[in-house]
Amino acid sequence: MAISELKNSNSKSGILDRSKPPRSGKPKDINFPKFFETKTANGITVLVIQDKRLPIVTSRFVFKSGSYLDHFMGKNKSGLGSMTSEILTKGTESRNASEIAEEIDFLGAGLTSGCNYDATFVSSYSLKKYFDEVFDILTDVILNPSFEEEELIRIADQRLNSLLSMIDDGDYLADRIFNRYVYSKSPYSNPLEGESKSIKNIVTKDLRKFYKKVFSPENLIVAFVGDISPEEALLKLENNFSGWKNSFSHSEEIIFPEFSKTPRVYLTDKKGAVQSSLKIGHLGIERSNPDFIKVSVMNTMLGGYFTSRINKNLREVNGYTYGARSVFNCYRYSGDFSVTTEVKTDITSETNREILKEINEMKNKHVGREELQNVKNYISGNFPMQLETPNDIASKAISLKLHGLEDDYYNTYIRKVNEITKEDVKEIAEKYLHTDRLIFSISGKSEDLKNEMQQFGEVEVTEDLF
Amino acid sequence: MSTIQLAKKIKYNIPSVDFKEHTLDNGLRVVMSKFGNIPVVALNTTFHTGSKDEENDKTGMAHLLEHLMFEGSPNVPRGQFDDILTRNGGESNAYTTRDSTSYFISVPSNHIETAMWLDSDRICGFGITEESLEIQKDVVLEEKLFYVDNSPYGSLEEVSSKKLFGGSSYGWSVIGNMEDLRRLKINDLKHFFEKHYTPSNAVISVVGDIDYDKTLRLLDKYYGNIGSGTEFTKSNFAHSEIRNEIRENIYDNVHLEGKFIFYKLPEDGTKDYYAMNILNSILSDGESSRFFNEIEYKSGLVNEIDSSIFGMECLSIFNITAIAMKGKSMDEIESKIDEIIEDVKSGNISDREFSKARNRFETYFSSKRQSVISIADKFSYLKMFYNDCSKINFEILDYMSLTKSDLIETANKYLNKNQRLVLNYLPK
């Protein structure tokens, strides 16, 4: 554009009045992008999110069971799922760990595996021109893992050291103890990375047992993402996986956790701490709960974003912390609600009180019309940012399948958010927030905090950490 | 674009990013890029001002000012910036480095004008109160406690800055000294703001669902009438070379010992800088890399090993991080690292290793350009420090034009024991 034109437009508008915010244009519609979906003869759910803008292909193999199963695989086996997924890329019947690493690295590709409580995954990415080679290695790793004894010993040794390093981190300690007590006897109380006594207790036979139970076509969702068509993707699967038969698998057992009957405080000592790391909360909801969207809206207002009540109070008004958030963390069978933050040791009590105040306020008073509208606008406006890359879209498509949500879930999402009333928010807060059942997990200077914390509930100092 | 460049571009098959550049009458440089397929726009406003522009008894000021820029401006009362932005579906954040300060906003494209109104108002004039200043000092103090004092190996940036760059304006950490911070008065910040937050010291990049003509008109409307401010000359950066190896033991609340080795490199954008990046890929990118394969996988000496290059305007840093396995010898780890570095310096890089690094860069450059926020950030950076936005499409050539002997030559120039800093973190 020519500069003269610019000056014209400027002079026409005269002096800019900055005192009022400008008016906005009409919002553009956003629909969840369409994607290809089918099921293979041996039961694999296939998703293809084709996008040719970049010459990259990602394939994501997601098995619908994760470290939740550790609990059912014998006494003291926590960490089993995550160690099984880690060892997959460390050797097959025809390639050792170094050969796999060398082939993948040389192709400029990536091959990763891991798990969470509800799923186990193996993924690859590469330039399209190397996809055939990379997909063959990925196939080998999934179908023919060798579970070498010496690899297991190495992984266990590394993990025991990683745990030593993790307990130097206050947030990790608060998180670990929070999960232990909030989820009490349910499998979600076990750390998915394992603990020292369980890591030492896992043998290759356990890995094979976990593998057999989880790695099977009917238990599998595969998403192909990027520069690949559904035809190409299906042909790849047909060539490499059509001979794969389902192993006998039984449904998962479920153990539901129970709420604490009274508020309780768990202190974990962190040597030389200058801050308390706080994680305060209780049981929440499972991902497929029909109230999920209402709960998200309520939580966003309470502590889910920068301008939420909790962050405003603790950071912007009081200057107690660099940041504070609340979250509903949802798994397949259960979930938790928590507020997390880090503050100086001597304002731990004040912080607890402010958090309690905000939770009570949410339960006891209707939210203002404007505040509710603001949160709805924020969630709706932010939604397209979650659909920016083909892999973002794939993650959402996978979660539909993983949690059994309706196909039009993401297309009706914004409408459902906008239908929520202030009465809904109060009802949801009353239903899902419980100040009389809170677990206060605090890592920091236990000795200094022990007496003071009794005002919030019965205090226990955790000693036998790992 | 030269024909050779074109040919190489086609060979690498990397889709190019479209952009337009312009400079407003008051000196503000703007970059616009129509990109992506979601109705979102990212704005990135970057000032050529970072912690190296502070005086050595007023450290932490650039970063504190960054916090305060969300705390009110002439027409936006305290507490309203984020409220207005989020109620329009937007989000915002900022970061400060030694060389620059960047503010970024993402917003649904129908609210682009609101984002510009908010962002430009805080450059127009200083609207920060004493109360905000004191609260944000507390927030920054908690930020420092969280990232530095309460975090394992957390003092690394502070200690290494002092040891590597002591006496120069890279010689302190970005977050600064908390005693300096406590002493800062509102007028200190106002002067710093008025001197540095001027259009000619800034670049703004707008990326996403935009129309070029309309966006330029809006930029001119909101930013065009901001006063140019007073020109100032940036102070020269001077530092002294390390001539004898510096070693220090630091006692920290850690369970595992950590070894951190630092070498100084030339600034970002130099041939040696690019060569070191490729060498770094050979050393630590992927499980088949030299450091990982030999020191973690085969020898089991470390729980973690990595190396990275931190590019800056006046100098860069090559850093090796090794966290020891319990009971393993830190001396043995250091001699393994040295063995590998000496091996590379002696010219022992195989053709396959070199091709592998190039393949990894090709994938990296083919896959990284996906988010409007990161592209806006990249454009501001390229415009400010290179005055060359076309690098967004051709930076790969800076890497691919290098040969194996360039890498070896660079390693011999910079990776020498007498030019380095070694910090050992040991359990208290």
Side-chain angles (χ1 to χ4, degrees):
Chain A
M1 182 200 297
I3 296 297
S4 58
E5 244 182 282
L6 251 183
K7 291 223 169 98
N8 269 338
S9 70
N10 209 15
S11 62
K12 239 183 275 167
S13 61
I15 294 162
L16 174 65
D17 176 13
R18 289 186 181 270
S19 66
K20 286 185 208 75
R23 292 167 69 145
S24 296
K26 222 174 134 268
K28 291 188 182 173
D29 286 340
I30 174 112
N31 285 313
F32 190 73
K34 289 203 167 43
F35 57 89
F36 174 87
E37 183 187 342
T38 191
K39 214 169 198 130
T40 63
N42 56 348
I44 302 172
T45 301
V46 188
L47 312 172
V48 183
I49 293 90
Q50 187 177 6
D51 185 329
K52 293 181 170 170
R53 287 176 297 171
L54 297 175
I56 300 282
V57 181
T58 306
S59 52
R60 298 168 64 170
F61 281 63
V62 181
F63 295 89
K64 292 185 268 186
S65 325
S67 55
Y68 188 85
L69 288 185
D70 293 357
H71 188 83
F72 305 98
M73 307 296 276
K75 198 169 177 288
N76 255 332
K77 299 291 179 193
S78 75
L80 175 57
S82 92
M83 286 167 84
T84 307
S85 60
E86 186 178 345
I87 208 170
L88 289 179
T89 60
K90 303 296 178 291
T92 67
E93 283 154 22
S94 57
R95 294 174 168 96
N96 66 30
S98 298
E99 285 162 349
I100 294 171
E102 174 59 29
E103 283 182 65
I104 289 290
D105 287 352
F106 183 74
L107 297 169
L111 177 66
T112 50
S113 57
C115 81
N116 56 36
Y117 286 105
D118 295 331
T120 304
F121 66 85
V122 187
S123 306
S124 73
Y125 73 88
S126 68
L127 290 172
K128 185 179 174 68
K129 62 183 173 183
Y130 301 130
F131 181 64
D132 287 351
E133 287 101 311
V134 172
F135 194 72
D136 285 345
I137 301 169
L138 173 79
T139 304
D140 195 25
V141 153
I142 288 174
L143 296 182
N144 314 307
S146 55
F147 302 112
E148 298 294 335
E149 176 91 35
E150 61 181 295
E151 289 296 335
L152 175 62
I153 293 168
R154 197 189 58 79
I155 288 172
D157 198 17
Q158 285 290 345
R159 229 165 238 246
L160 292 169
N161 277 272
S162 300
L163 280 182
L164 281 176
S165 193
M166 283 154 98
I167 58 174
D168 291 334
D169 173 11
D171 284 351
Y172 176 78
L173 292 174
D175 187 64
R176 170 80 189 82
I177 297 307
F178 178 86
N179 289 336
R180 178 188 288 181
Y181 292 107
V182 165
Y183 288 107
S184 56
K185 293 185 179 64
S186 113
Y188 295 118
S189 66
N190 303 318
L192 64 91
E193 64 279 7
E195 35 197 348
S196 58
K197 60 177 193 288
S198 66
I199 290 168
K200 290 176 191 154
N201 187 41
I202 289 169
V203 294
T204 51
K205 207 175 89 191
D206 297 318
L207 305 175
R208 289 177 192 279
K209 199 169 138 197
F210 185 93
Y211 172 83
K212 273 218 181 94
K213 197 159 167 63
V214 172
F215 284 67
S216 134
E218 272 176 4
N219 205 26
L220 172 62
I221 303 162
V222 181
F224 292 92
V225 189
D227 193 0
I228 184 166
S229 70
E231 295 71 32
E232 290 171 286
L234 287 176
L235 188 63
K236 288 259 110 196
L237 268 187
E238 171 71 27
N239 288 342
N240 291 15
F241 288 94
S242 60
W244 198 21
K245 297 282 178 294
N246 281 292
S247 54
F248 173 74
S249 80
H250 26 241
S251 55
E252 291 187 359
E253 275 178 70
I254 308 170
I255 301 172
F256 289 103
E258 281 173 21
F259 276 97
S260 169
K261 297 204 167 49
T262 53
R264 299 181 74 94
V265 181
Y266 295 95
L267 298 177
T268 316
D269 198 55
K270 175 171 147 52
K271 207 176 132 199
V274 292
Q275 278 182 320
S276 297
S277 302
L278 275 58
K279 183 153 178 155
I280 301 168
H282 50 57
L283 288 172
I285 57 168
E286 68 286 0
R287 179 62 185 85
S288 56
N289 187 309
D291 286 334
F292 180 85
I293 294 177
K294 287 180 187 166
V295 168
S296 310
V297 171
M298 185 276 291
N299 180 66
T300 304
M301 201 176 307
L302 177 64
Y305 71 143
F306 189 85
T307 44
S308 65
R309 292 177 176 192
I310 287 175
N311 193 59
K312 257 194 185 165
N313 178 332
L314 295 180
R315 175 178 155 133
E316 297 300 296
V317 175
N318 283 305
Y320 286 170
T321 179
Y322 180 54
R325 289 289 186 276
S326 68
V327 66
F328 272 82
N329 174 35
C330 303
Y331 299 125
R332 183 176 296 139
Y333 305 119
S334 182
D336 61 87
F337 157 73
S338 70
V339 181
T340 51
T341 191
E342 301 81 17
V343 299
K344 270 197 281 295
T345 310
D346 61 8
I347 47 169
T348 308
S349 292
E350 281 91 329
T351 305
N352 283 346
R353 276 195 290 274
E354 290 303 319
I355 290 170
L356 281 169
K357 193 182 98 185
E358 294 298 350
I359 297 175
N360 276 320
E361 184 104 350
M362 204 78 219
K363 285 164 63 86
N364 299 335
K365 284 191 195 151
H366 277 121
V367 299
R369 202 175 54 92
E370 195 183 314
E371 190 185 5
L372 178 59
Q373 191 57 52
N374 290 353
V375 167
K376 290 177 179 178
N377 292 353
Y378 168 73
I379 293 174
S380 321
N382 201 256
F383 184 62
M385 286 295 278
Q386 299 170 33
L387 308 176
E388 188 168 20
T389 70
N391 264 304
D392 294 337
I393 296 163
S395 298
K396 290 227 166 347
I398 291 168
S399 86
L400 289 178
K401 301 293 143 199
L402 204 51
H403 297 287
L405 307 174
E406 318 91 79
D407 285 343
D408 67 345
Y409 180 86
Y410 286 111
N411 275 323
T412 57
Y413 176 75
I414 297 297
R415 179 170 60 74
K416 285 183 180 155
V417 165
N418 283 293
E419 280 168 3
I420 292 170
T421 64
K422 66 179 199 297
E423 287 78 18
D424 292 333
V425 175
K426 185 155 183 287
E427 192 190 310
I428 288 292
E430 283 169 10
K431 189 169 168 188
Y432 294 111
L433 300 175
H434 310 284
T435 39
D436 54 344
R437 295 167 167 193
L438 288 171
I439 300 286
F440 295 78
S441 172
I442 303 171
S443 135
K445 280 188 188 142
S446 329
E447 272 307 308
D448 295 12
L449 292 166
K450 215 162 64 184
N451 292 330
E452 220 185 312
M453 289 303 118
Q454 284 172 2
Q455 60 181 303
F456 300 106
E458 196 182 323
V459 176
E460 196 177 307
V461 180
T462 318
E463 306 275 356
D464 61 324
L465 247 186
F466 306 95
Chain B
M1 195 192 313
S2 73
T3 347
I4 298 165
Q5 280 182 323
L6 255 180
K8 284 182 176 165
K9 179 177 176 273
I10 290 157
K11 187 178 153 212
Y12 293 117
N13 186 31
I14 297 172
S16 75
V17 176
D18 187 50
F19 64 92
K20 290 196 192 318
E21 298 168 86
H22 191 82
T23 303
L24 301 184
D25 288 351
N26 58 7
L28 178 69
R29 288 157 288 171
V30 308
V31 186
M32 299 172 288
S33 172
K34 191 173 169 59
F35 182 88
N37 54 1
I38 53 168
V40 169
V41 174
L43 259 74
N44 176 299
T45 304
T46 295
F47 296 94
H48 196 173
T49 295
S51 62
K52 82 163 180 307
D53 300 289
E54 297 159 350
E55 291 163 46
N56 65 7
D57 59 347
K58 288 180 180 165
T59 64
M61 184 137 74
H63 171 252
L64 179 63
L65 181 62
E66 175 226 295
H67 274 242
L68 290 166
M69 290 296 277
F70 294 87
E71 292 288 314
S73 56
N75 297 288
V76 182
R78 174 167 176 242
Q80 286 293 298
F81 183 98
D82 285 297
D83 268 4
I84 295 172
L85 191 64
T86 50
R87 88 163 73 113
N88 285 297
E91 268 195 311
S92 172
N93 214 330
Y95 65 87
T96 308
T97 71
R98 289 186 174 95
D99 303 314
S100 62
T101 311
S102 291
Y103 298 85
F104 52 95
I105 294 176
S106 61
V107 75
S109 47
N110 60 313
H111 296 302
I112 183 173
E113 221 174 319
T114 304
M116 287 189 186
W117 171 70
L118 285 168
D119 187 53
S120 63
D121 199 55
R122 59 182 173 182
I123 312 173
C124 271
F126 193 76
I128 294 147
T129 63
E130 295 273 358
E131 196 193 356
S132 291
L133 175 64
E134 291 312 314
I135 288 175
Q136 289 306 313
K137 280 183 184 175
D138 285 342
V139 171
V140 171
L141 186 70
E142 291 302 321
E143 184 179 358
K144 171 147 192 284
L145 290 179
F146 181 66
Y147 284 114
V148 181
D149 303 5
N150 214 39
S151 162
Y153 321 104
S155 62
L156 204 55
E157 190 200 336
E158 199 172 289
V159 178
S160 63
S161 299
K162 199 185 277 174
K163 299 277 164 196
L164 283 169
F165 304 118
S168 85
S169 50
Y170 276 172
W172 52 86
S173 63
V174 171
I175 202 160
N177 177 325
M178 292 301 111
E179 272 113 61
D180 289 354
L181 194 89
R182 278 274 165 236
R183 276 198 307 269
L184 291 175
K185 299 274 185 299
I186 197 100
N187 266 333
D188 294 322
L189 287 139
K190 187 162 184 274
H191 290 146
F192 194 80
F193 168 84
E194 281 165 356
K195 179 177 172 187
H196 293 280
Y197 280 43
T198 60
S200 57
N201 197 37
V203 170
I204 177 163
S205 301
V206 188
V207 176
D209 176 29
I210 61 166
D211 171 279
Y212 287 119
D213 290 350
K214 216 176 122 193
T215 303
L216 186 54
R217 265 198 299 277
L218 288 175
L219 283 165
D220 192 57
K221 178 174 169 187
Y222 286 98
Y223 297 85
N225 59 2
I226 298 172
S228 309
T230 316
E231 286 277 327
F232 67 98
T233 25
K234 294 210 134 225
S235 37
N236 274 335
F237 180 85
H239 81 114
S240 41
E241 301 282 346
I242 297 176
R243 295 214 161 74
N244 295 303
E245 185 181 54
I246 308 170
R247 304 185 70 89
E248 186 154 309
N249 290 342
I250 291 153
Y251 295 87
D252 196 3
N253 291 305
V254 293
H255 280 89
L256 300 181
E257 297 179 340
K259 185 174 286 292
F260 302 88
I261 306 176
F262 299 84
Y263 299 86
K264 289 192 199 182
L265 300 177
E267 68 272 20
D268 195 344
T270 53
K271 184 181 166 194
D272 286 345
Y273 169 84
Y274 293 123
M276 266 308 298
N277 270 281
I278 300 187
L279 188 64
N280 183 52
S281 170
I282 291 172
L283 293 174
S284 71
D285 185 12
E287 294 195 356
S288 72
S289 64
R290 293 278 185 102
F291 284 157
F292 183 90
N293 184 43
E294 289 170 37
I295 306 175
E296 180 165 337
Y297 184 75
K298 283 190 185 150
S299 320
L301 291 170
V302 296
N303 184 233
E304 192 188 321
I305 187 154
D306 199 7
S307 65
S308 59
I309 291 167
F310 192 68
M312 298 184 290
E313 186 181 7
C314 305
L315 277 174
S316 300
I317 301 167
F318 174 56
N319 159 234
I320 302 164
T321 294
I323 307 295
M325 293 282 268
K326 190 92 187 158
K328 295 293 180 186
S329 145
M330 290 270 272
D331 289 343
E332 199 183 339
I333 292 168
E334 188 170 321
S335 58
K336 281 272 179 195
I337 292 172
D338 287 342
E339 248 172 60
I340 293 170
I341 289 180
E342 289 309 317
D343 188 48
V344 166
K345 280 164 72 180
S346 75
N348 200 3
I349 297 173
S350 72
D351 288 341
R352 185 175 164 93
E353 243 178 342
F354 185 60
S355 306
K356 191 201 302 185
R358 287 166 60 92
N359 288 345
R360 298 189 72 72
F361 274 91
E362 188 183 351
T363 307
Y364 170 74
F365 280 104
S366 305
S367 60
K368 66 177 185 149
R369 284 190 246 100
Q370 297 201 44
S371 105
V372 289
I373 290 178
S374 68
I375 293 171
D377 186 69
K378 185 74 184 174
F379 272 126
S380 290
Y381 186 85
L382 292 175
K383 185 74 188 166
M384 180 153 285
F385 294 106
Y386 296 94
N387 195 25
D388 180 8
C389 290
S390 74
K391 264 188 186 281
I392 196 128
N393 295 321
F394 299 118
E395 203 177 14
I396 184 173
L397 302 179
D398 293 321
Y399 294 89
M400 294 305 184
S401 57
L402 296 167
T403 63
K404 214 162 74 176
S405 53
D406 291 326
L407 271 55
I408 296 159
E409 200 179 298
T410 307
N412 278 288
K413 238 195 272 181
Y414 303 102
L415 304 188
N416 299 311
K417 281 189 185 180
N418 65 326
Q419 295 167 300
R420 73 182 182 181
L421 164 68
V422 180
L423 298 176
N424 295 313
Y425 274 69
L426 307 169
K428 256 185 189 165

